[in-house]
Amino acid sequence: MDIKQTTSAFAALSQTTRLEALRILIKSGADGMLAGDISDMMEVRQNTMSANLSVLLHAGLVRNEREGRSIRYYADFEGLRGVLAFLMEDCCGGSPEKCQPLINEIACAC
Amino acid sequence: MDIKQTTSAFAALSQTTRLEALRILIKSGADGMLAGDISDMMEVRQNTMSANLSVLLHAGLVRNEREGRSIRYYADFEGLRGVLAFLMEDCCGGSPEKCQPLINEIACAC
DNA sequence: TCCATATATCATGAATAATTGATATATTAT
DNA sequence: ATAATATATCAATTATTCATGATATATGGA
């Protein structure tokens, strides 16, 4: 993970349609969602959604997989992990006690 | 935390100078750093750095505090927590097992 | 008070990115 | 083979964002 990949990932998340799409895919987890179902659910035009999913894909935040005529998209948790790891690199050096609240929040109720 | 605040935070992180500045502040932890020292270290012009720090500030990712003639900036770990929480909301509903690697990465070596 | 230091703001031109209509590609069914 | 469905790509317009030079504000020292 380098600075270019990381800024491109954050740029991908800096726009409402894409952030919501990724949140939907994060909620969908391993089930993923079909591209068309995402655009229907979000009431976004087909080509706009396609372009935005493409940005998320190239940023390494989602994966996809053809399924008949449709294409199913999934959140890429591994890519997300890499981005956050780059951001938080060496955070503990300065102030270990600051990390815990962050961890707790991400941890949710697993 | 809402969608507007979150996209603005990610937009703030989508640019090299700002992402590196925040990474430096995350490493500095509770010590923070003076604005001028950040721009010197990064070899960025004073006004460019000021504008970029201002973006991070309004995005809720850093705090600042006057210190004589200088201004000291700190990473805002609470703001960061909120952004990540919004992104990961309900992630566990879909696929609990995906959360752990993310958590581990953020956790670093505290 | 006057000057130096530290940072912020303003205006502008250059580069990037976003949405859209139109069209292309890929898959499946008849 | 033709048509229908699902998604992607293209071209063009509009909108945002960035770095910069110039200048303003705030603090501390002489």
Side-chain angles (χ1 to χ4, degrees), chain A residues 23 81 86 92 105 110, chain B residues 23 81 86 92 105 108 110:
Chain A
R23 276 162 41 87
R81 187 192 62 73
F86 184 78
C92 291
E105 196 59 56
C110 298
Chain B
R23 276 163 39 88
R81 186 192 62 73
F86 184 78
C92 292
E105 197 58 57
C108 46
C110 298

Side-chain angles (χ1 to χ4, degrees), chain A residues 35-47:
Chain A
D37 289 345
I38 302 173
S39 49
D40 287 351
M41 171 180 290
M42 295 185 54
E43 296 184 8
V44 165
R45 285 164 199 262
Q46 178 272 317
N47 60 353

Side-chain angles (χ1 to χ4, degrees), chain A residues 1 5-15 18-19 21-26 29 52-64 73-84, chain B residues 10 84 87-88 102:
Chain A
M1 189 63 51
Q5 290 177 271
T6 308
T7 51
S8 118
F10 285 130
L13 295 177
S14 70
Q15 200 249 2
R18 288 192 300 258
L19 177 56
L22 182 60
R23 276 162 41 87
I24 287 170
L25 289 174
I26 284 173
N52 281 321
L53 285 172
S54 168
V55 172
L56 289 168
L57 187 66
H58 288 108
L61 295 169
V62 304
R63 293 177 299 109
N64 66 10
Y73 281 82
Y74 304 89
D76 184 337
F77 289 93
E78 189 60 22
L80 201 47
R81 187 192 62 73
V83 170
L84 299 183
Chain B
F10 284 130
L84 299 184
L87 175 63
M88 299 304 295
L102 252 80

Side-chain angles (χ1 to χ4, degrees), chain B:
Chain B
M1 188 64 50
D2 66 5
I3 188 89
K4 281 281 179 208
Q5 291 177 271
T6 308
T7 51
S8 117
F10 284 130
L13 296 176
S14 70
Q15 201 251 357
T16 305
T17 305
R18 289 192 299 259
L19 176 57
E20 286 294 20
L22 182 60
R23 276 163 39 88
I24 287 170
L25 289 174
I26 285 173
K27 290 191 181 77
S28 311
D31 294 338
M33 269 186 80
L34 302 184
D37 289 344
I38 302 173
S39 48
D40 287 351
M41 171 181 292
M42 294 185 56
E43 296 183 6
V44 165
R45 286 165 199 262
Q46 178 271 319
N47 60 352
T48 298
M49 193 73 252
S50 173
N52 282 320
L53 285 171
S54 167
V55 173
L56 288 168
L57 187 66
H58 289 107
L61 295 169
V62 304
R63 295 176 300 108
N64 67 10
E65 196 171 80
R66 180 166 282 278
E67 189 172 308
R69 282 193 272 225
S70 302
I71 295 182
R72 186 174 294 272
Y73 281 83
Y74 303 89
D76 184 336
F77 288 93
E78 189 60 21
L80 201 46
R81 186 192 62 73
V83 170
L84 299 184
F86 184 78
L87 175 63
M88 299 304 295
E89 193 180 61
D90 296 336
C91 70
C92 292
S95 53
E97 77 283 1
K98 294 291 186 181
C99 292
Q100 200 55 51
L102 252 80
I103 296 160
N104 291 343
E105 197 58 57
I106 302 297
C108 46
C110 298

